[in-house]
Amino acid sequence: MALEQLRALLTEEEAAQEELRRRIEDRLGPLRREIERLKAELERLDQRLQRLQFARQSLSDEELDREEENFRAEEAAWWAEWRHRRAERQTRRGEVVNRNGHDDITLRQLYRTLARLVHPDLARDPADRSRREAVMRLANSAREAGDLDQLRRLLAIWARPDEGEWPRDVEVLRARVGQRQVEIGEVRRQLNDLRRQPMGRLLRRGDLEVHRYLRAEEVRLNRELAMLRLRRRRALRQLEERRRELGVSAAE
């Protein structure tokens, strides 16, 4: 199979998997985020209950909030001091401190380089334009997500366009063929790896299986959500019971 065909298949596979991820996120994302929110709230309620177990008097939510804020402020100050000391050590060793800024510059450079190579306006025909548009959609998603590895991979795949006429010199021709075989093997490996990933396997099973997966996950997540809500009600009830106990003890 020609390199250009493999590139097209790889682009189509990535675009299809990206679309499937969006479909899953649209269906299951709100449930997953609500579960994470409830887990965080339950952890906070458990911490408050533990605090009240050792308290000698009842503490209101406002008082507990202030305690938590003070604790978070102290923790943030400790980590800020730690990062400051680490930055000083890195500066003394001549290391790069502002990695985030460096990553932003690299992200822009990779994106611009890729855009210059695969811009749809450079297409030779409608099919080539369609492939280029798919690659640019992937590049745009990678840029928005800050995914340097994805941009590097796309650039590695598309950085070497198909060369024109083959040379007549036998040795040069052999070298060109060997290089092209290596490139084809690498793109084929990436395509196979992508198809073996969970999202690729789900995509291969067809739309009916995708629908079944979404339905099963939705049922599972709703069940987990119901259990978390039950735990939240219990935690709130335990907090109120402990406050009443402390109130009775104080009155005595």
Side-chain angles (χ1 to χ4, degrees), residues 178-241:
Q179 183 179 18
R180 182 56 56 84
Q181 287 175 342
V182 170
E183 293 173 359
I184 288 174
E186 176 60 21
V187 176
R188 182 178 285 115
R189 182 190 64 78
Q190 292 187 25
L191 178 60
N192 291 333
D193 288 345
L194 194 63
R195 286 172 172 173
R196 283 194 292 265
Q197 292 178 3
M199 200 65 63
R201 293 198 301 268
L202 180 59
L203 196 62
R204 305 269 88 70
R205 290 160 62 184
D207 196 63
L208 180 60
E209 286 299 317
V210 170
H211 177 74
R212 288 174 178 169
Y213 163 80
L214 289 172
R215 179 57 185 160
E217 276 295 288
E218 194 172 45
V219 170
R220 185 186 68 79
L221 292 172
N222 275 311
R223 188 181 298 117
E224 184 178 359
L225 193 59
M227 293 298 296
L228 289 171
R229 286 170 176 163
L230 178 60
R231 286 179 55 193
R232 178 181 179 274
R233 288 195 295 270
R234 289 174 178 171
L236 289 171
R237 185 170 62 250
Q238 289 173 334
L239 279 171
E240 290 304 314
E241 290 174 354

Side-chain angles (χ1 to χ4, degrees), residues 6-242:
L6 281 170
R7 284 172 173 169
L9 287 175
L10 185 59
T11 301
E12 290 170 6
E13 181 69 23
E14 290 191 324
Q17 290 193 24
E18 184 68 23
E19 178 60 30
L20 181 56
R21 274 190 288 269
R22 282 196 292 267
R23 182 179 172 186
I24 292 172
E25 171 60 25
D26 290 343
R27 180 82 171 266
L28 304 178
L31 286 172
R32 288 171 173 168
R33 287 188 289 274
E34 178 64 11
I35 285 172
E36 291 304 313
R37 187 192 69 79
L38 277 176
K39 284 181 177 178
E41 184 179 358
L42 275 170
E43 183 178 358
R44 184 170 60 88
L45 291 174
D46 288 340
Q47 291 172 352
R48 291 190 169 194
L49 185 58
Q50 291 177 15
R51 174 70 180 85
L52 287 177
Q53 294 296 337
F54 298 99
R56 295 183 177 180
Q57 62 181 12
S58 180
L59 297 171
S60 66
D61 285 337
E62 290 76 13
E63 291 171 320
L64 290 170
D65 284 340
R66 283 195 295 273
E67 283 191 0
E68 291 178 5
E69 288 172 3
N70 291 336
F71 173 78
R72 285 196 295 269
E74 291 174 359
E75 187 178 35
W78 188 90
W79 280 109
E81 178 65 20
W82 180 85
R83 284 192 293 269
H84 176 70
R85 292 178 180 177
R86 183 186 63 176
E88 288 181 341
R89 291 194 299 270
Q90 290 174 341
T91 302
R92 286 195 294 270
R93 293 196 302 263
E95 296 180 2
V96 177
V97 177
N98 188 11
R99 287 197 177 95
N100 291 333
H102 176 71
D103 287 349
D104 289 342
I105 294 172
T106 303
L107 189 75
R108 289 195 297 271
Q109 289 175 340
L110 287 172
Y111 177 81
R112 289 170 182 170
T113 302
L114 184 62
R116 285 194 293 268
L117 285 171
V118 300
H119 197 280
D121 290 345
L122 301 175
R124 299 185 298 271
D125 51 56
D128 187 31
R129 185 178 187 85
S130 178
R131 286 193 295 270
R132 290 173 179 271
E133 288 173 348
V135 176
M136 285 307 304
R137 284 194 294 271
L138 293 172
N140 290 333
S141 297
R143 182 184 62 174
E144 292 171 4
D147 192 342
L148 290 171
D149 290 338
Q150 171 72 333
L151 286 174
R152 288 191 181 101
R153 198 170 61 78
L154 289 172
L155 190 58
I157 294 170
W158 292 88
R160 293 184 59 82
D162 282 344
E163 301 180 32
E165 295 182 1
W166 289 86
R168 296 182 179 180
D169 185 277
V170 175
E171 294 302 321
V172 176
L173 180 60
R174 286 175 178 170
R176 178 82 65 82
V177 170
Q179 183 179 18
R180 182 56 56 84
Q181 287 175 342
V182 170
E183 293 173 359
I184 288 174
E186 176 60 21
V187 176
R188 182 178 285 115
R189 182 190 64 78
Q190 292 187 25
L191 178 60
N192 291 333
D193 288 345
L194 194 63
R195 286 172 172 173
R196 283 194 292 265
Q197 292 178 3
M199 200 65 63
R201 293 198 301 268
L202 180 59
L203 196 62
R204 305 269 88 70
R205 290 160 62 184
D207 196 63
L208 180 60
E209 286 299 317
V210 170
H211 177 74
R212 288 174 178 169
Y213 163 80
L214 289 172
R215 179 57 185 160
E217 276 295 288
E218 194 172 45
V219 170
R220 185 186 68 79
L221 292 172
N222 275 311
R223 188 181 298 117
E224 184 178 359
L225 193 59
M227 293 298 296
L228 289 171
R229 286 170 176 163
L230 178 60
R231 286 179 55 193
R232 178 181 179 274
R233 288 195 295 270
R234 289 174 178 171
L236 289 171
R237 185 170 62 250
Q238 289 173 334
L239 279 171
E240 290 304 314
E241 290 174 354
R242 180 56 182 163

